[in-house]
Amino acid sequence: MRNIYSPMKSLFYVALLMLIIIGLPKAQAQKVGLPVIFLDQSGFYPGLNKSAVITKVATGDGFELIAIPTGKSVYTGSLSGWRSTGYSGIKTRIADFSGFQKSGTYLVRIPGIGDSPVFKIADSVHQDLAVAGLKAFYYQRASSALDKDYAGKWYRRSGHPDTAVLIHPSAATKNRTAGSGINVAEGWYDAGDYNKYMVNSGISTATLLSAYEDFPNYFLGLKAKLPNAKHSVPDILTEAIYNLRWMLKMQDPHDGGVYNKCTNLGFDAMIMPAQAMAPRYVVAKGTAATLNLVAVAAQASRILKDFPQQYPGLADSCRSAAVLAWNWALKNPNLAYDQEQMNKTSDLKITTGAYGDKDFEDEWSWAAAELLATTGRSQYYDAFFARLNAKVNLPGWSNVGILGYYSMIRCHNKLPESYRSITSILKKKVLSIADRYLLAGKAGAYGSVMGSSLSDFVWGSNSVAMNQAVLLINAYLFTQNKDYLKAAAGNLDYILGRNATGYSFVTGIGTKSPVNPHHRISFADGIADPIPGMLVGGPNSGKQDGLKYESAEPELSYLDNVASYASNEIAINWNAPLVYVANALECLNKIKAQIK
Amino acid sequence: MAVSILMLTVNYSTMAQKNLVKNGGFEDELKGWVDYSAKATPYVFSSGKMSSALFSGDPSKWTGMHQIVALPKNTQYILMSAKIKVDDVGAGKEDWNGALFLFEMLGKGEAKIGEGINIASATGDQDWKPYERAYIVPPGTASIKLLFALGYVSGTMFVDDVSLKVISQAEYEKYL
């Protein structure tokens, strides 16, 4: 659970740390040394930029590209001058070999430094990542056993059936009294914990749905080997629908309001889902949760219209749910989830993540945009237009306005003629951010947009990198300016190893990736390797977990330690933009002319 | 039909160019303005022969003037602008305190919609400086209240060339 620090959580993690120190029998994956030359450990597309970064002093100014297995030097180049981050004591030099485009297996050799990890230059170089990132959502499924045929060695028993979740007093109504049970089965576990939160589910599901909407033909061919996949339904939709069905159940059909979360009173211990028996509750309805359902259900409705045989009635159900939720929100336009206040009025105190957003203008804008794109109705246009002056920012669970911009731009041709002109405003607002990124990236010490600013290194910094890349890809899609695409790929290079830590931050991807994520299943399953395809939070200068880090530098504030919830947790809203970016690059690389 | 379209175009063009603020240059002193301490002055101005001056020696007070500008029906984009000069305007207790140019949106019956939005906040000494804000008018907005004030600061503020114009979407986008 991210960004939601609490004293109870602190106590829990002190206990966790003690368990780890005294040697809880968690198998350890084989340790690999950290690289001294930092680059994308998966590799590079032939037609896109390629570079490596060093932070130590070389004996000269040159570098070589060595072909594997021949050992022959196939390219030589000069290192850049020293670059400063501006926010840390670290200085970098960049080895740029973008001019070399021949497919193969290579390493970078720099005199006085050493050799880089071996990497590939190839088409489809991120195919494994693209599939693993999506499959990671399957491994997060609640209320479901994971069969060996689909989960491999990470198969497990079902946990958290959530078919009789209790109504918390904060959620009680005449029709659903406190202590009565409702079915809110399915959905994804949010992160390293086993709770399910509407607002984080919203952005995560929407990002997967948007990936499909932007690249529908590509996703028809992407197979992640999921159970119960329906004929001609892309796996990304199969997986998104697993969470969508949970989100729909979180709506009270009597009034349309949506509960904020399905949760234990406190976090589960570091145990497997099947061992977790604590009672579960749905907690207080809220405006943010409700508008998240509006947006996701409206988007899902227009997508599922194309799959009437596979999902009979689901598109209509989604549309109805979205409208019902919208109408509830109109009556409750500012109902925040204040967990601290709620706990003062109930004996059933909740100490899990709050996701306590208090400003709902961005949720209103996003929800209106999705309903407008789906229905074309004037009331949603007015609600969206009324909020068009608002500044938009990089998305996060509490800041979702720009998600509606992406959808409006994408659905331009589906909008009623009289509403289409405003997409030019939306494009300009998106481009104002994208152009700022391009400038920052060119001067950045790591050759990427990510890491060009100290403010990048927040809790879940790796999702900053991926959401920046999503924004840049959106900018590319409506401008066809390849600079945006190259910058997006640069951020993926950062995630996969071209960063100060030398880690590829996705489990199971690259030569040096996290093996001890803050993730209950990976910790408790007794399997050495963590669940693959999960993006960990990454360097976080806040270091809220109180652990001892080896460096004070912001970009090195990372620990591959299961107790490091501030830098090494995983989360669905971090993986979703990873899925978008990896698959978008795979798709666009297949259309080679677009990126050469 | 063609004539109607032409007339609409002409009307829009006329409307788009017209300054909807009455006496925005203060050539008719404070006619059209609701003031709570403003004075028209012929001694300092940016253009014409007059401007409006606000003076406060008491930083605990809010002194200023405003004008409510009715918008043509279905207005979507506006451009608000003014020139401001400040002399010895102190800094207040809050960040936003200063010589202020702001606006509020009003609905039916001049009911305020949302919070006031700041266009400019100046302190210290500053010669005539133009300020402007292009804005999308939310549906339901009937008029705009333009306000100039010394917000909890002492000093002198001069205001001239106040304007509010309806603009096209293309013109609005130039300000993005």
Side-chain angles (χ1 to χ4, degrees), chain A residues 381-383 385-386 388-389 421-426 428-429 432, chain B residues 75-77 105 134-139 169-170 172-174 176:
Chain A
Y381 177 82
D382 287 351
F385 192 81
L388 207 44
N389 287 297
S421 70
I422 57 167
T423 57
S424 71
I425 293 175
L426 311 183
K428 284 191 174 170
K429 290 176 82 170
S432 72
Chain B
T75 297
Q76 292 191 304
Y77 307 94
M105 286 163 287
Y135 202 74
I136 296 172
V137 180
Q169 181 181 327
Y172 169 80
E173 289 184 22
K174 292 175 187 169
L176 289 175

Side-chain angles (χ1 to χ4, degrees), chain B residues 78-133:
Chain B
I78 57 173
L79 178 65
M80 296 164 282
S81 62
K83 287 180 181 165
I84 293 170
K85 170 180 163 65
V86 294
D87 289 343
D88 197 24
V89 172
K93 292 178 181 173
E94 307 289 340
D95 287 347
W96 57 270
N97 294 162
L100 306 173
F101 171 21
L102 65 159
F103 69 101
E104 295 172 357
M105 286 163 287
L106 307 179
K108 282 182 182 174
E110 297 188 351
K112 187 176 167 185
I113 302 170
E115 297 298 313
I117 297 169
N118 217 16
I119 296 176
S121 177
T123 56
D125 295 301
Q126 177 189 284
D127 202 358
W128 287 107
K129 183 177 176 183
Y131 293 93
E132 62 185 4
R133 170 74 70 88

Side-chain angles (χ1 to χ4, degrees), chain A residues 56-390:
Chain A
K56 292 180 178 164
V57 177
T59 53
D61 293 326
F63 71 91
E64 288 179 291
L65 202 58
I66 307 296
I68 302 297
T70 65
K72 287 183 180 174
S73 175
V74 293
Y75 183 86
T76 58
S78 297
L79 295 167
S80 74
W82 287 101
R83 291 188 178 195
S84 174
T85 64
Y87 52 75
S88 72
I90 295 174
K91 289 186 176 176
T92 67
R93 298 184 80 179
I94 296 178
D96 189 333
F97 49 101
S98 301
F100 186 82
Q101 300 194 352
K102 189 177 177 187
S103 295
T105 304
Y106 306 95
L107 61 79
V108 171
R109 178 168 294 160
I110 302 178
I113 300 285
D115 290 349
S116 76
V118 174
F119 61 90
K120 286 182 178 174
I121 295 176
D123 292 328
S124 302
V125 74
H126 293 309
Q127 183 69 17
D128 290 348
L129 170 69
V131 172
L134 176 58
K135 189 70 177 274
F137 283 89
Y138 164 71
Y139 289 113
Q140 286 292 98
R141 286 187 181 189
S143 319
S144 175
L146 302 194
D147 190 272
K148 198 171 185 178
D149 289 344
Y150 300 98
K153 64 183 176 183
W154 295 282
Y155 71 93
R156 61 172 166 83
R157 288 194 290 143
S158 178
H160 303 92
D162 290 344
T163 49
V165 167
L166 303 170
I167 300 285
H168 187 267
S170 62
T173 58
K174 184 180 168 188
N175 292 306
R176 291 182 162 185
T177 56
S180 59
I182 62 169
N183 177 6
V184 287
E186 303 179 311
W188 302 313
Y189 296 128
D190 183 64
D193 65 325
Y194 291 141
N195 303 301
K196 301 186 289 192
Y197 308 83
M198 279 301 290
V199 295
N200 215 35
S201 266
I203 185 172
S204 306
T205 312
T207 302
L208 295 190
L209 293 177
S210 293
Y212 169 75
E213 273 196 303
D214 280 333
F215 310 104
N217 293 330
Y218 161 84
F219 276 109
L220 278 170
L222 185 86
K223 303 296 179 192
K225 200 177 181 189
L226 300 176
N228 305 319
K230 295 179 186 290
H231 179 64
S232 297
V233 176
D235 280 355
I236 194 168
L237 289 186
T238 299
E239 197 52 48
I241 289 167
Y242 190 82
N243 200 60
L244 172 69
R245 289 191 185 280
W246 167 71
M247 293 182 75
L248 292 168
K249 292 187 190 100
M250 288 291 280
Q251 182 177 43
D252 182 346
H254 300 99
D255 62 11
V258 177
Y259 305 107
N260 280 292
K261 56 180 173 175
C262 166
T263 180
N264 297 359
L265 293 180
F267 288 107
D268 276 312
M270 300 295 278
I271 54 179
M272 290 297 282
Q275 298 171 298
M277 300 297 175
R280 307 267 275 180
Y281 297 86
V282 291
V283 181
K285 294 167 190 167
T287 305
T290 303
L291 290 173
N292 267 264
L293 180 67
V294 172
V296 171
Q299 185 179 18
S301 174
R302 67 173 177 266
I303 292 170
L304 292 169
K305 270 197 307 188
D306 295 336
F307 300 93
Q309 270 82 44
Q310 296 93 330
Y311 296 105
L314 187 55
D316 289 342
S317 296
C318 285
R319 181 171 166 145
S320 299
V323 171
L324 187 64
W326 175 267
N327 290 334
W328 183 92
L330 287 176
K331 294 174 194 162
N332 301 273
N334 271 305
L335 189 57
Y337 178 62
D338 187 340
Q339 188 160 283
E340 195 177 330
Q341 189 61 34
M342 184 187 77
N343 283 340
K344 289 177 183 170
T345 61
S346 173
D347 293 333
L348 292 169
K349 300 190 189 313
I350 308 282
T351 57
T352 55
Y355 285 105
D357 196 1
K358 289 187 170 68
D359 179 355
F360 307 116
E361 282 302 292
D362 53 309
E363 281 85 3
W364 277 109
S365 177
W366 177 33
E370 297 296 353
L371 271 170
L372 173 59
T374 299
T375 70
R377 295 185 63 176
S378 62
Q379 69 188 98
Y380 307 122
Y381 177 82
D382 287 351
F384 181 72
F385 192 81
R387 294 170 172 87
L388 207 44
N389 287 297

Side-chain angles (χ1 to χ4, degrees), chain B residues 41-168:
Chain B
T41 175
Y43 301 111
V44 179
F45 50 82
S46 173
S47 66
K49 295 178 179 175
M50 301 283 280
S51 76
S52 174
L54 302 170
F55 171 78
S56 175
D58 185 351
S60 68
K61 288 185 177 173
W62 173 284
T63 59
M65 61 181 185
H66 76 255
Q67 182 174 139
I68 294 175
V69 182
L71 297 175
K73 200 174 179 184
N74 298 325
T75 297
Q76 292 191 304
Y77 307 94
I78 57 173
L79 178 65
M80 296 164 282
S81 62
K83 287 180 181 165
I84 293 170
K85 170 180 163 65
V86 294
D87 289 343
D88 197 24
V89 172
K93 292 178 181 173
E94 307 289 340
D95 287 347
W96 57 270
N97 294 162
L100 306 173
F101 171 21
L102 65 159
F103 69 101
E104 295 172 357
M105 286 163 287
L106 307 179
K108 282 182 182 174
E110 297 188 351
K112 187 176 167 185
I113 302 170
E115 297 298 313
I117 297 169
N118 217 16
I119 296 176
S121 177
T123 56
D125 295 301
Q126 177 189 284
D127 202 358
W128 287 107
K129 183 177 176 183
Y131 293 93
E132 62 185 4
R133 170 74 70 88
Y135 202 74
I136 296 172
V137 180
T141 306
S143 54
I144 298 287
K145 185 177 183 179
L146 293 174
L147 299 99
F148 296 88
L150 288 164
Y152 305 112
V153 289
S154 59
T156 307
M157 172 186 193
F158 298 95
V159 181
D160 204 354
D161 299 334
V162 184
S163 170
L164 188 156
K165 293 178 179 176
V166 176
I167 59 175
S168 66

